[in-house]
Amino acid sequence: ITIRVQTRHFEDEMCEAWFEIEGDVTVRANYIFGEEGHLLLRHQLGDAPITEQKIDASECDLLFPLLRVYTGPLLRAILDDGGKATVLIPRIDCFDEPEKLLQASFSERNAESLGEALFDIDGSEIPCEKVRFKGGPYIDGAECYLASEVLLAYEWEQGDGNRWRVQLDR
């Protein structure tokens, strides 16, 4: 399975996002932020006609475009907005139901600063902020290391007791 994401920004705001999942079937979605307080979702399953859905933008605070490169700015936005947000996330939890892939879902997310930290990447200690990120698959929370808007690493424990760590390499 391959997931591709591309975004377009105007000034500091995301105004459009494209998603494509290639697997047994190709699914495409395009999220367009409108000026009248709505979000337009265009969705296509394989070669079927494109469907459109308008979503009231007041239902969510932020769009999370799936990839970790977007997680740092998402965390910073949640922290700057008081630590809680309703986040719009294109669905990737339903590969057995491809018609639902990349459809809009809403998730309550929380971010809490745990203070300053140093994070080691290849022998260099980088000053950062340690953040607890909760919601979605991170029921017990993930520990994130954030340098400005750059996510250096995140760690979480799965329900089976396995601890995962994903980190940036230089």
Side-chain angles (χ1 to χ4, degrees):
I1 294 171
T2 302
I3 299 176
R4 291 183 186 86
V5 177
Q6 185 177 12
T7 58
R8 185 170 60 93
H9 300 255
F10 179 73
E11 297 177 353
D12 287 338
E13 298 292 319
M14 186 183 312
C15 56
E16 193 165 6
W18 295 266
F19 301 90
E20 181 179 79
I21 293 179
E22 282 185 15
D24 293 336
V25 65
T26 298
V27 181
R28 293 178 189 87
N30 180 214
Y31 287 78
I32 304 165
F33 294 88
E35 293 182 19
E36 291 91 37
H38 71 272
L39 182 72
L40 177 64
L41 167 58
R42 292 186 175 136
H43 188 266
Q44 183 179 31
L45 176 64
D47 293 328
I50 295 171
T51 61
E52 290 189 355
Q53 173 187 8
K54 276 190 178 180
I55 299 169
D56 183 354
S58 67
E59 292 181 31
C60 67
D61 302 306
L62 301 164
L63 169 66
F64 181 30
L66 303 174
L67 302 182
R68 296 302 164 223
V69 69
Y70 297 103
T71 306
L74 174 78
L75 286 171
R76 178 56 52 208
I78 294 172
L79 287 166
D80 290 349
D81 200 32
K84 186 176 183 178
T86 301
V87 179
L88 173 65
I89 303 172
R91 290 190 62 185
I92 57 170
D93 62 343
C94 52
F95 283 96
D96 55 336
E97 300 175 272
E99 67 280 359
K100 293 182 181 179
L101 282 172
L102 300 177
Q103 291 287 354
S105 66
F106 297 94
S107 177
E108 290 296 321
R109 299 294 173 107
N110 297 288
E112 173 189 4
S113 177
L114 301 177
E116 294 180 13
L118 292 174
F119 190 81
D120 184 280
I121 296 181
D122 297 332
S124 296
E125 288 192 329
I126 299 172
C128 62
E129 182 178 6
K130 188 174 180 179
V131 176
R132 165 103 38 220
F133 184 41
K134 293 180 109 176
Y138 308 113
I139 295 166
D140 294 328
E143 293 178 356
C144 302
Y145 297 87
L146 190 61
S148 184
E149 288 191 355
V150 177
L151 180 64
L152 302 176
Y154 63 101
E155 302 173 332
W156 78 98
E157 189 171 309
Q158 278 189 316
D160 59 7
N162 287 324
R163 185 136 181 102
W164 288 78
R165 180 181 189 153
V166 178
Q167 80 175 50
L168 182 68
D169 280 335
R170 289 200 181 197

